[in-house]
Amino acid sequence: MADSPLDPAELQRAGLRLDVDGAVATISLARPERRNALTFSTWHTLARIGETLPGTVRVVVVRGDGPSFSAGIDLRLFSPEGVPGEDTSGPRDEAFIAGLQAGYLWLRRPDIVSIAAVRGHAIGGGFQLALACDLRVVADDVKFAMKEPALGIVPDLTGTKPLVDIVGVPRALELCLTTRTVFAEEAARLGLAELVVPAAELDSAVADLVAAILQVRPETAAATKRLIRQAPHNTLEEQAAAERREQVPLLGGPAAAPAAS
Ligand code: ACO
């Protein structure tokens, strides 16, 4: 295992570990002594992982070392001292934020299924990382909180869209503006977790889920993810057409014709 296409020094600087084992890549947030606080390097390196992921990978598991998934942004980045090795001098413009968002956006790609394995705190950027994944398996000690507004900023790491998609506009607004904590029972009820398990069983529950997903043919899994992801934006007729387009190649028929314009 521990096969990684990236420079180990780059991963370490970013507080990350990457293990690629055949069809499964596991990304570990690996700064438990700081509760896996996230730095600019973390987000840039996550983007690099997405860019360099071997084509054999079909499932990506994102997990955290230690008691917390992630305490969100490393708060020292907001202080004059900053974080050693992190460049905090550049402009905080939209291009800069887009570079950080790239660390999370690739987790929605149709050729992979991404799973967040969350124990303990998932705060701010940590909560948004869990939301960036397709599925969330959580330990019963999970604590989700969108803390950004308490710091005077908005959640800008691609989290507002999945949050609204999952819990709806009023609940998303309430969670963001109160910055309150969502515990396991409510997380399951709101759909923020597909599965809640005792903390000691988190790894085995994720392994079972991964094994089940890998039973499905890669092209079928990718087609299914494309189909399900577009469903909320389509009319019934558009979605029925999308089902037909995805199905024909799987049945061994002619390649899908371009959508009629
Ligand atoms: N940034 C930098 N260091 C952090 C962070 C963080 N976000 N979170 C924890 N740490 C450090 C602590 O300073 C502490 O360091 P020390 O041992 O040198 O004192 C160490 O990690 C352990 O933290 P504790 O607070 O002792 O751990 P505990 O398990 O009791 O609490 C918790 C964990 C709840 C996550 C708490 O650390 C916390 O509230 N952290 C800040 C969360 C936050 O507001 N994040 C920003 C969200 S907004 C965004 O992400 C954009």
Side-chain angles (χ1 to χ4, degrees):
M1 215 154 98
D3 222 11
S4 162
L6 284 190
D7 175 10
E10 180 182 350
L11 287 163
Q12 197 181 6
R13 237 187 344 268
L16 294 169
R17 208 171 51 250
L18 173 63
D19 297 301
V20 179
D21 185 11
V24 184
T26 302
I27 300 171
S28 297
L29 306 173
R31 246 188 309 245
E33 70 285 359
R34 290 224 163 254
R35 299 298 180 264
N36 301 323
L38 308 160
T39 63
F40 302 144
S41 302
T42 316
W43 289 304
H44 291 141
T45 303
L46 283 171
R48 292 263 302 131
I49 292 174
E51 285 159 12
T52 57
L53 203 66
T56 49
V57 171
R58 297 190 45 212
V59 178
V60 176
V61 176
V62 184
R63 59 176 298 285
D65 287 353
S68 297
F69 179 72
S70 171
I73 194 168
D74 193 315
L75 292 168
R76 293 173 302 167
L77 290 170
F78 293 127
S79 72
E81 299 78 43
V83 176
E86 294 287 322
D87 180 9
T88 52
S89 64
R92 296 287 181 273
D93 55 13
E94 289 192 31
F96 170 76
I97 298 172
L100 308 182
Q101 290 172 331
Y104 288 5
L105 280 172
W106 65 272
L107 290 160
R108 280 90 161 184
R109 262 167 37 187
D111 58 316
I112 55 161
V113 176
S114 50
I115 302 171
V118 187
R119 66 173 83 245
H121 291 96
I123 302 178
F127 187 10
Q128 294 188 71
L129 177 55
L131 286 165
C133 292
D134 295 313
L135 305 172
R136 281 150 294 281
V137 179
V138 309
D140 53 8
D141 65 351
V142 75
K143 297 174 194 70
F144 287 120
M146 202 68 92
K147 284 280 184 226
E148 285 83 348
L151 301 176
I153 57 178
V154 297
D156 66 349
L157 291 164
T158 78
T160 57
K161 172 80 174 147
L163 184 65
V164 168
D165 287 347
I166 294 168
V167 306
V169 169
R171 181 62 68 197
L173 190 58
E174 183 260 334
L175 289 179
C176 290
L177 289 186
T178 64
T179 73
R180 73 176 172 86
T181 300
V182 175
F183 297 91
E185 182 276 327
E186 185 182 12
R189 185 159 37 84
L190 292 179
L192 289 168
E194 274 59 62
L195 199 59
V196 180
V197 296
E201 293 168 24
L202 183 61
D203 293 344
S204 61
V206 170
D208 288 349
L209 179 59
V210 169
I213 291 168
L214 290 178
Q215 292 297 310
V216 176
R217 286 194 304 160
E219 56 274 31
T220 306
T224 304
K225 182 167 168 182
R226 277 194 301 269
L227 197 54
I228 299 292
R229 280 243 173 247
Q230 66 182 278
H233 318 291
N234 282 346
T235 64
L236 181 58
E237 289 71 22
E238 287 165 344
Q239 187 67 9
E243 290 173 356
R244 295 193 296 272
R245 274 198 304 277
E246 293 289 3
Q247 193 73 297
V248 168
L250 296 175
L251 295 174
S261 53

